[in-house]
């Protein structure tokens, strides 16, 4: 803290009257122009020393967190190395010393799972290759021989049935393994990682939340343990909250607001939320306050995490999660700037009002009603309070009589509208950021409250168009259109994988729908479908990572958004067909792109309208059929 008092000595001569450095206890008294330059240089030196001293404790804390990270990573690496060694020889003396009899039994079960994974891998490859061969053959030849055609269909059905049979066996084996209750290497290390993230907090919590959404890449033990980070984030003390507010806004919370709550109503990885009331109007407010010291130490924490991840990638071929750090590095500074979040919230609110969707974004208060006091800064965000509960709280949804299907449809519509219409996309829609309540004016209807607008991505128009054409191709089960759209995104051979990652469904469903013309996915076969997708992701893990390096960087946040939305949809019982909802918005985006093309012809415009009408007709027909099915079931009861 520096206090400078300027006094005018004469019309030509003025100087620095008093410059005192509180931290260093050093004072300078200068009354002449000749001494001003020397005093200011000394003052700047003291200021620089004071700034460096202010970074000592945050740097020491960051080093301590890095030390915990290194220790945890080393422990996990040794544990996994021993695990891989004993897994190859479960009956060996080394295995018994390392694991014990119960763990050996578990490793035998895991060996069975590995065997089933290899069988599923072969069956899946046989089915996909056979389907592609049959599809190309049907296009290149005239189907005069009905017997041959039926034979091909029979082979394809048998291959699929064989693949799903193995997938169901694999799912059952994994469920049986989970029910054993024995501590596995994944469970031990997931607990270690959870303890590390909770101890280090801040950036580490953010990394843990991201990992908790990678259900196709990480073992279930990690997903189960790390998912607790969404609701169990660390809480800053009231003294730290007051310090941050005073440093940013110039006054303590109780001086700026009435009824400021000492305890937060919610806490997350980067900040926590307190309630208060506006002094001028009395309206209820929500004040989001960043955890103290996070801004100063985030760069060091992110550097330490990135360094350990890079080392792990070199030690373990199966470990390829460096892309998470690559994406977090440029995005985290934006998330830590709450003025950026305020701007995102206002832009999102303006767009959602145009769509007519029942979604509310809390109004941001930049200054007080009189305009004299700033209420929002880089570390403090003041908003109007909007009530709501997590959209995944199924019991509460059912208790107030809101339809789960309408809720899931509304959530999917909100984010697809952002992607294909506005291009400014909320990329962190996990369960704590998508709140739900009964619509205040429409009884029994859902209304979404969308919060936490720090992580947004502005999509390029070219990317929007390619992404829309990809989704339209997926909806219409047009293999050639899917290939073309993927090529425009930089993905050629791995187009089935990209489509499967976006839809969270096996690509063979697209092949099947291309033959039946249906928009409905085939019935889920227990845990078999998830086993198919997970094995496909594990089989092509290296290709997935390579693909993540190829696709536009904005696609990475789209993947993150899809992961979050899929978790919400699963929690609601998967009542919505996101394929249909995405198809509506994607096909409209394709139409707008085609008719706005400067070199388009009237024939081209007419063709674009026909294609759009075809998509809408199929979607509306499907929705009508689905509504009639539900209605008939209801009346039959």
């Amino acid at each position: 803290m520096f206090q400078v008092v300027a006094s005018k000595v004469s019309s030509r001569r003025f100087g620095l009257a008093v410059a005192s450095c509180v931290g260093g206890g050093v004072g300078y008294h200068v009354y002449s122009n000749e001494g001003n330059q020397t005093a200011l240089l000394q003052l700047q030196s003291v200021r620089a020393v004071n700034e460096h001293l202010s970074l000592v404790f945050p740097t020491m804390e960051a080093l301590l967190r890095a030390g915990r990270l290194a220790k945890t990573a080393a422990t996990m690496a040794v544990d996994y190395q021993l695990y891989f060694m004993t897994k190859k020889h479960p009956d060996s003396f080394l295995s018994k010393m390392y694991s014990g009899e119960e763990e050996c039994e578990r490793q035998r079960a895991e060996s069975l799972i590995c065997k089933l994974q290899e069988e599923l891998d072969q069956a899946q490859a046989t089915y996909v290759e056979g389907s592609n061969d049959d599809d190309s053959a049907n296009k290149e030849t005239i189907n005069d021989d009905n017997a041959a055609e039926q034979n091909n269909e029979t082979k394809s059905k048998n291959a699929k049935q064989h693949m799903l049979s193995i997938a169901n066996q694999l799912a059952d084996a994994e469920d049986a393994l989970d029910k054993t209750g024995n501590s596995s290497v994944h469970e031990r290390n997931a607990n270690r990682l959870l303890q590390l993230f909770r101890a280090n907090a801040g950036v580490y919590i953010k990394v843990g939340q991201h990992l908790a959404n990678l259900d196709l890449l990480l073992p279930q033990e990690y997903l189960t343990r790390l998912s607790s980070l969404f609701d169990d984030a660390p809480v800053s003390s009231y003294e730290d909250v007051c310090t941050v507010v005073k440093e940013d806004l110039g006054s303590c919370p109780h001086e700026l607001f009435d009824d400021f709550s000492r305890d937060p109503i919610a806490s997350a990885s980067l900040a926590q939320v307190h309630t208060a009331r506006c002094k001028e109007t009395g309206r209820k407010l929500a004040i989001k306050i960043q955890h103290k010291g996070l801004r100063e130490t985030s760069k060091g924490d992110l550097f330490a995490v990135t360094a350990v991840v890079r080392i792990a990638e070199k030690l373990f071929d199966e470990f390829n999660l460096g892309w998470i750090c690559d994406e977090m590095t440029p995005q985290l500074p934006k998330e830590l700037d709450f003025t950026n979040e305020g701007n995102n919230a206002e832009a999102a609110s303006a767009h959602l009002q145009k769509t007519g969707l029942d979604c509310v974004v809390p109004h941001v208060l930049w200054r007080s009603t009189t305009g004299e006091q700033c209420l929002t800064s880089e570390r403090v965000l003041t908003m109007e309070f909007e009530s709501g509960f997590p959209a995944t709280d199924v019991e509460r949804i059912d208790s107030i009589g809101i339809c789960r299907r309408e809720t899931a449809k509304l959530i999917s519509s909100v984010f697809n509208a952002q992607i294909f219409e506005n291009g400014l996309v909320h990329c962190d829609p996990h369960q704590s950021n998508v709140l739900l309540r009964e619509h205040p004016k429409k009884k029994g209807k859902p209304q979404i409250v969308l919060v936490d607008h720090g992580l947004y991505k502005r999509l390029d128009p070219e990317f929007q168009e390619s992404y829309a054409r990809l989704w339209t191709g997926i909806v219409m089960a047009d293999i050639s259109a899917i290939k073309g759209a993927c090529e425009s995104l930089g993905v050629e051979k791995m187009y089935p994988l990209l489509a499967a990652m976006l839809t969270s469904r096996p690509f063979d469903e697209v092949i099947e729908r291309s033959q039946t013309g249906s928009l409905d996915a085939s019935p889920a076969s227990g845990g078999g479908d998830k086993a198919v997708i997970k094995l496909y992701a594990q089989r092509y893990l290296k290709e997935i990572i390579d693909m993540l390096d190829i696709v536009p960087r904005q696609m990475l946040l789209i993947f993150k958004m899809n992961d979050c939305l899929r978790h919400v949809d699963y929690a609601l019982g998967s009542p919505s067909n996101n394929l249909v909802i995405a198809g509506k918005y994607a096909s409209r985006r394709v139409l707008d792109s085609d008719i706005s093309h400067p070199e388009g012809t009237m024939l081209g415009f007419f063709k674009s309208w026909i294609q759009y009408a075809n998509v809408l007709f199929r979607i509306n027909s499907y929705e009508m059929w689905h509504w009639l099915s539900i209605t008939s079931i209801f009346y039959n009861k």
Side-chain angles (χ1 to χ4, degrees), residues 404-431:
R404 293 192 199 180
R405 181 176 175 81
E406 289 185 8
T407 300
K409 182 178 179 180
L410 176 59
I411 294 173
S412 182
S413 297
V414 166
F415 289 97
N416 278 290
Q418 286 190 332
I419 292 172
F420 297 112
E421 291 182 357
N422 190 36
L424 186 64
V425 184
H426 190 307
C427 294
D428 197 18
H430 63 72
Q431 57 208 33

mmCIF file of all heavy atoms in Angstrom, residues 404-431:
data_model
loop_
_atom_site.group_PDB
_atom_site.id
_atom_site.type_symbol
_atom_site.label_atom_id
_atom_site.label_comp_id
_atom_site.label_asym_id
_atom_site.label_seq_id
_atom_site.Cartn_x
_atom_site.Cartn_y
_atom_site.Cartn_z
ATOM 1 N N ARG A 404 -40.584 -35.208 -17.319
ATOM 2 C CA ARG A 404 -39.146 -35.389 -17.565
ATOM 3 C C ARG A 404 -38.821 -35.196 -19.044
ATOM 4 O O ARG A 404 -37.794 -34.605 -19.392
ATOM 5 C CB ARG A 404 -38.704 -36.787 -17.135
ATOM 6 C CG ARG A 404 -38.776 -37.055 -15.654
ATOM 7 C CD ARG A 404 -38.031 -38.355 -15.358
ATOM 8 N NE ARG A 404 -38.400 -38.925 -14.066
ATOM 9 C CZ ARG A 404 -37.887 -40.044 -13.595
ATOM 10 N NH1 ARG A 404 -37.007 -40.717 -14.328
ATOM 11 N NH2 ARG A 404 -38.261 -40.513 -12.417
ATOM 12 N N ARG A 405 -39.678 -35.727 -19.916
ATOM 13 C CA ARG A 405 -39.427 -35.624 -21.355
ATOM 14 C C ARG A 405 -39.404 -34.169 -21.806
ATOM 15 O O ARG A 405 -38.534 -33.758 -22.570
ATOM 16 C CB ARG A 405 -40.480 -36.412 -22.124
ATOM 17 C CG ARG A 405 -40.278 -36.366 -23.634
ATOM 18 C CD ARG A 405 -41.291 -37.231 -24.367
ATOM 19 N NE ARG A 405 -41.158 -37.092 -25.805
ATOM 20 C CZ ARG A 405 -40.252 -37.738 -26.531
ATOM 21 N NH1 ARG A 405 -39.413 -38.564 -25.949
ATOM 22 N NH2 ARG A 405 -40.185 -37.567 -27.841
ATOM 23 N N GLU A 406 -40.343 -33.365 -21.304
ATOM 24 C CA GLU A 406 -40.366 -31.947 -21.660
ATOM 25 C C GLU A 406 -39.130 -31.230 -21.121
ATOM 26 O O GLU A 406 -38.590 -30.334 -21.774
ATOM 27 C CB GLU A 406 -41.635 -31.292 -21.125
ATOM 28 C CG GLU A 406 -42.904 -31.716 -21.842
ATOM 29 C CD GLU A 406 -44.116 -30.937 -21.359
ATOM 30 O OE1 GLU A 406 -43.928 -29.979 -20.580
ATOM 31 O OE2 GLU A 406 -45.238 -31.286 -21.755
ATOM 32 N N THR A 407 -38.699 -31.643 -19.940
ATOM 33 C CA THR A 407 -37.490 -31.040 -19.358
ATOM 34 C C THR A 407 -36.265 -31.348 -20.204
ATOM 35 O O THR A 407 -35.481 -30.451 -20.542
ATOM 36 C CB THR A 407 -37.278 -31.568 -17.924
ATOM 37 O OG1 THR A 407 -38.405 -31.233 -17.121
ATOM 38 C CG2 THR A 407 -36.022 -30.968 -17.318
ATOM 39 N N ALA A 408 -36.088 -32.613 -20.555
ATOM 40 C CA ALA A 408 -34.940 -33.013 -21.377
ATOM 41 C C ALA A 408 -34.991 -32.353 -22.749
ATOM 42 O O ALA A 408 -33.959 -31.916 -23.282
ATOM 43 C CB ALA A 408 -34.908 -34.527 -21.522
ATOM 44 N N LYS A 409 -36.177 -32.252 -23.321
ATOM 45 C CA LYS A 409 -36.326 -31.620 -24.632
ATOM 46 C C LYS A 409 -35.970 -30.132 -24.561
ATOM 47 O O LYS A 409 -35.307 -29.592 -25.458
ATOM 48 C CB LYS A 409 -37.757 -31.790 -25.131
ATOM 49 C CG LYS A 409 -38.007 -31.220 -26.513
ATOM 50 C CD LYS A 409 -39.442 -31.482 -26.956
ATOM 51 C CE LYS A 409 -39.693 -30.892 -28.350
ATOM 52 N NZ LYS A 409 -41.084 -31.143 -28.799
ATOM 53 N N LEU A 410 -36.397 -29.457 -23.484
ATOM 54 C CA LEU A 410 -36.102 -28.039 -23.319
ATOM 55 C C LEU A 410 -34.601 -27.810 -23.157
ATOM 56 O O LEU A 410 -34.030 -26.896 -23.782
ATOM 57 C CB LEU A 410 -36.857 -27.488 -22.105
ATOM 58 C CG LEU A 410 -36.584 -26.024 -21.729
ATOM 59 C CD1 LEU A 410 -36.919 -25.100 -22.887
ATOM 60 C CD2 LEU A 410 -37.364 -25.645 -20.474
ATOM 61 N N ILE A 411 -33.944 -28.631 -22.345
ATOM 62 C CA ILE A 411 -32.499 -28.479 -22.135
ATOM 63 C C ILE A 411 -31.751 -28.669 -23.452
ATOM 64 O O ILE A 411 -30.872 -27.886 -23.811
ATOM 65 C CB ILE A 411 -32.006 -29.480 -21.074
ATOM 66 C CG1 ILE A 411 -32.599 -29.137 -19.712
ATOM 67 C CG2 ILE A 411 -30.476 -29.474 -21.001
ATOM 68 C CD1 ILE A 411 -32.302 -30.165 -18.634
ATOM 69 N N SER A 412 -32.093 -29.722 -24.187
ATOM 70 C CA SER A 412 -31.433 -29.989 -25.462
ATOM 71 C C SER A 412 -31.689 -28.871 -26.459
ATOM 72 O O SER A 412 -30.788 -28.461 -27.199
ATOM 73 C CB SER A 412 -31.922 -31.323 -26.024
ATOM 74 O OG SER A 412 -31.276 -31.632 -27.234
ATOM 75 N N SER A 413 -32.901 -28.324 -26.467
ATOM 76 C CA SER A 413 -33.241 -27.241 -27.399
ATOM 77 C C SER A 413 -32.430 -25.979 -27.103
ATOM 78 O O SER A 413 -31.982 -25.292 -28.027
ATOM 79 C CB SER A 413 -34.740 -26.930 -27.319
ATOM 80 O OG SER A 413 -35.517 -28.036 -27.711
ATOM 81 N N VAL A 414 -32.241 -25.671 -25.821
ATOM 82 C CA VAL A 414 -31.488 -24.471 -25.442
ATOM 83 C C VAL A 414 -30.070 -24.520 -26.005
ATOM 84 O O VAL A 414 -29.593 -23.555 -26.623
ATOM 85 C CB VAL A 414 -31.467 -24.314 -23.906
ATOM 86 C CG1 VAL A 414 -30.414 -23.290 -23.481
ATOM 87 C CG2 VAL A 414 -32.841 -23.900 -23.394
ATOM 88 N N PHE A 415 -29.401 -25.646 -25.837
ATOM 89 C CA PHE A 415 -27.998 -25.716 -26.248
ATOM 90 C C PHE A 415 -27.842 -25.914 -27.746
ATOM 91 O O PHE A 415 -26.885 -25.426 -28.339
ATOM 92 C CB PHE A 415 -27.289 -26.813 -25.456
ATOM 93 C CG PHE A 415 -27.099 -26.456 -24.012
ATOM 94 C CD1 PHE A 415 -27.985 -26.898 -23.048
ATOM 95 C CD2 PHE A 415 -26.064 -25.626 -23.627
ATOM 96 C CE1 PHE A 415 -27.836 -26.542 -21.723
ATOM 97 C CE2 PHE A 415 -25.889 -25.260 -22.306
ATOM 98 C CZ PHE A 415 -26.791 -25.724 -21.343
ATOM 99 N N ASN A 416 -28.782 -26.604 -28.388
ATOM 100 C CA ASN A 416 -28.723 -26.707 -29.847
ATOM 101 C C ASN A 416 -29.013 -25.364 -30.505
ATOM 102 O O ASN A 416 -28.444 -25.048 -31.554
ATOM 103 C CB ASN A 416 -29.712 -27.773 -30.335
ATOM 104 C CG ASN A 416 -29.155 -29.177 -30.231
ATOM 105 O OD1 ASN A 416 -28.246 -29.559 -30.954
ATOM 106 N ND2 ASN A 416 -29.696 -29.963 -29.312
ATOM 107 N N ALA A 417 -29.872 -24.563 -29.887
ATOM 108 C CA ALA A 417 -30.121 -23.213 -30.407
ATOM 109 C C ALA A 417 -28.862 -22.362 -30.309
ATOM 110 O O ALA A 417 -28.548 -21.582 -31.222
ATOM 111 C CB ALA A 417 -31.271 -22.557 -29.637
ATOM 112 N N GLN A 418 -28.132 -22.505 -29.212
ATOM 113 C CA GLN A 418 -26.872 -21.757 -29.086
ATOM 114 C C GLN A 418 -25.869 -22.181 -30.154
ATOM 115 O O GLN A 418 -25.180 -21.337 -30.742
ATOM 116 C CB GLN A 418 -26.276 -21.970 -27.691
ATOM 117 C CG GLN A 418 -26.993 -21.241 -26.579
ATOM 118 C CD GLN A 418 -26.223 -21.290 -25.275
ATOM 119 O OE1 GLN A 418 -25.467 -22.217 -25.000
ATOM 120 N NE2 GLN A 418 -26.402 -20.278 -24.439
ATOM 121 N N ILE A 419 -25.780 -23.478 -30.411
ATOM 122 C CA ILE A 419 -24.787 -23.982 -31.369
ATOM 123 C C ILE A 419 -25.116 -23.546 -32.792
ATOM 124 O O ILE A 419 -24.267 -22.985 -33.500
ATOM 125 C CB ILE A 419 -24.708 -25.520 -31.299
ATOM 126 C CG1 ILE A 419 -24.119 -25.968 -29.968
ATOM 127 C CG2 ILE A 419 -23.857 -26.065 -32.448
ATOM 128 C CD1 ILE A 419 -24.176 -27.469 -29.749
ATOM 129 N N PHE A 420 -26.335 -23.796 -33.224
ATOM 130 C CA PHE A 420 -26.661 -23.641 -34.643
ATOM 131 C C PHE A 420 -27.235 -22.270 -35.000
ATOM 132 O O PHE A 420 -27.237 -21.908 -36.176
ATOM 133 C CB PHE A 420 -27.645 -24.732 -35.065
ATOM 134 C CG PHE A 420 -27.087 -26.120 -34.948
ATOM 135 C CD1 PHE A 420 -27.576 -27.014 -34.008
ATOM 136 C CD2 PHE A 420 -26.038 -26.535 -35.763
ATOM 137 C CE1 PHE A 420 -27.060 -28.296 -33.896
ATOM 138 C CE2 PHE A 420 -25.505 -27.814 -35.656
ATOM 139 C CZ PHE A 420 -26.012 -28.692 -34.714
ATOM 140 N N GLU A 421 -27.703 -21.510 -34.021
ATOM 141 C CA GLU A 421 -28.262 -20.193 -34.313
ATOM 142 C C GLU A 421 -27.295 -19.070 -33.943
ATOM 143 O O GLU A 421 -26.875 -18.293 -34.794
ATOM 144 C CB GLU A 421 -29.577 -20.002 -33.553
ATOM 145 C CG GLU A 421 -30.711 -20.871 -34.050
ATOM 146 C CD GLU A 421 -32.003 -20.616 -33.303
ATOM 147 O OE1 GLU A 421 -32.002 -19.797 -32.342
ATOM 148 O OE2 GLU A 421 -33.023 -21.221 -33.659
ATOM 149 N N ASN A 422 -26.977 -19.000 -32.660
ATOM 150 C CA ASN A 422 -26.194 -17.860 -32.167
ATOM 151 C C ASN A 422 -24.695 -18.041 -32.350
ATOM 152 O O ASN A 422 -23.985 -17.088 -32.643
ATOM 153 C CB ASN A 422 -26.519 -17.642 -30.690
ATOM 154 C CG ASN A 422 -25.958 -16.362 -30.140
ATOM 155 O OD1 ASN A 422 -25.916 -15.349 -30.823
ATOM 156 N ND2 ASN A 422 -25.519 -16.393 -28.897
ATOM 157 N N GLY A 423 -24.202 -19.259 -32.135
ATOM 158 C CA GLY A 423 -22.768 -19.520 -32.251
ATOM 159 C C GLY A 423 -21.980 -19.212 -31.001
ATOM 160 O O GLY A 423 -20.782 -19.471 -30.946
ATOM 161 N N LEU A 424 -22.635 -18.635 -29.975
ATOM 162 C CA LEU A 424 -21.980 -18.389 -28.682
ATOM 163 C C LEU A 424 -22.502 -19.444 -27.721
ATOM 164 O O LEU A 424 -23.658 -19.397 -27.294
ATOM 165 C CB LEU A 424 -22.293 -16.980 -28.168
ATOM 166 C CG LEU A 424 -21.544 -16.550 -26.899
ATOM 167 C CD1 LEU A 424 -20.041 -16.479 -27.142
ATOM 168 C CD2 LEU A 424 -22.059 -15.197 -26.405
ATOM 169 N N VAL A 425 -21.640 -20.398 -27.346
ATOM 170 C CA VAL A 425 -22.110 -21.639 -26.720
ATOM 171 C C VAL A 425 -21.596 -21.770 -25.290
ATOM 172 O O VAL A 425 -20.408 -21.605 -25.017
ATOM 173 C CB VAL A 425 -21.649 -22.864 -27.548
ATOM 174 C CG1 VAL A 425 -22.209 -24.144 -26.950
ATOM 175 C CG2 VAL A 425 -22.073 -22.717 -28.999
ATOM 176 N N HIS A 426 -22.528 -22.066 -24.376
ATOM 177 C CA HIS A 426 -22.202 -22.418 -22.993
ATOM 178 C C HIS A 426 -21.592 -23.816 -23.004
ATOM 179 O O HIS A 426 -22.259 -24.788 -23.355
ATOM 180 C CB HIS A 426 -23.481 -22.394 -22.165
ATOM 181 C CG HIS A 426 -23.275 -22.503 -20.682
ATOM 182 N ND1 HIS A 426 -22.541 -23.518 -20.102
ATOM 183 C CD2 HIS A 426 -23.700 -21.732 -19.648
ATOM 184 C CE1 HIS A 426 -22.534 -23.362 -18.782
ATOM 185 N NE2 HIS A 426 -23.238 -22.289 -18.479
ATOM 186 N N CYS A 427 -20.330 -23.929 -22.613
ATOM 187 C CA CYS A 427 -19.618 -25.205 -22.746
ATOM 188 C C CYS A 427 -19.426 -25.942 -21.430
ATOM 189 O O CYS A 427 -18.629 -26.876 -21.352
ATOM 190 C CB CYS A 427 -18.253 -24.967 -23.404
ATOM 191 S SG CYS A 427 -18.368 -24.412 -25.113
ATOM 192 N N ASP A 428 -20.163 -25.548 -20.391
ATOM 193 C CA ASP A 428 -20.012 -26.220 -19.101
ATOM 194 C C ASP A 428 -21.383 -26.480 -18.465
ATOM 195 O O ASP A 428 -21.632 -26.097 -17.321
ATOM 196 C CB ASP A 428 -19.159 -25.366 -18.169
ATOM 197 C CG ASP A 428 -18.617 -26.154 -16.984
ATOM 198 O OD1 ASP A 428 -18.603 -27.396 -17.066
ATOM 199 O OD2 ASP A 428 -18.213 -25.532 -15.990
ATOM 200 N N PRO A 429 -22.297 -27.161 -19.204
ATOM 201 C CA PRO A 429 -23.661 -27.348 -18.685
ATOM 202 C C PRO A 429 -23.801 -28.573 -17.787
ATOM 203 O O PRO A 429 -24.648 -29.438 -18.036
ATOM 204 C CB PRO A 429 -24.484 -27.504 -19.973
ATOM 205 C CG PRO A 429 -23.555 -28.196 -20.909
ATOM 206 C CD PRO A 429 -22.184 -27.672 -20.584
ATOM 207 N N HIS A 430 -22.954 -28.678 -16.753
ATOM 208 C CA HIS A 430 -23.111 -29.824 -15.864
ATOM 209 C C HIS A 430 -24.293 -29.594 -14.923
ATOM 210 O O HIS A 430 -24.932 -28.537 -14.924
ATOM 211 C CB HIS A 430 -21.811 -30.125 -15.112
ATOM 212 C CG HIS A 430 -21.338 -29.044 -14.208
ATOM 213 N ND1 HIS A 430 -21.956 -28.735 -13.028
ATOM 214 C CD2 HIS A 430 -20.273 -28.191 -14.300
ATOM 215 C CE1 HIS A 430 -21.314 -27.754 -12.417
ATOM 216 N NE2 HIS A 430 -20.296 -27.406 -13.167
ATOM 217 N N GLN A 431 -24.578 -30.587 -14.103
ATOM 218 C CA GLN A 431 -25.816 -30.622 -13.335
ATOM 219 C C GLN A 431 -25.998 -29.445 -12.385
ATOM 220 O O GLN A 431 -27.144 -29.086 -12.057
ATOM 221 C CB GLN A 431 -25.858 -31.923 -12.526
ATOM 222 C CG GLN A 431 -24.649 -32.096 -11.606
ATOM 223 C CD GLN A 431 -24.328 -33.545 -11.341
ATOM 224 O OE1 GLN A 431 -24.524 -34.381 -12.209
ATOM 225 N NE2 GLN A 431 -23.834 -33.852 -10.153
#
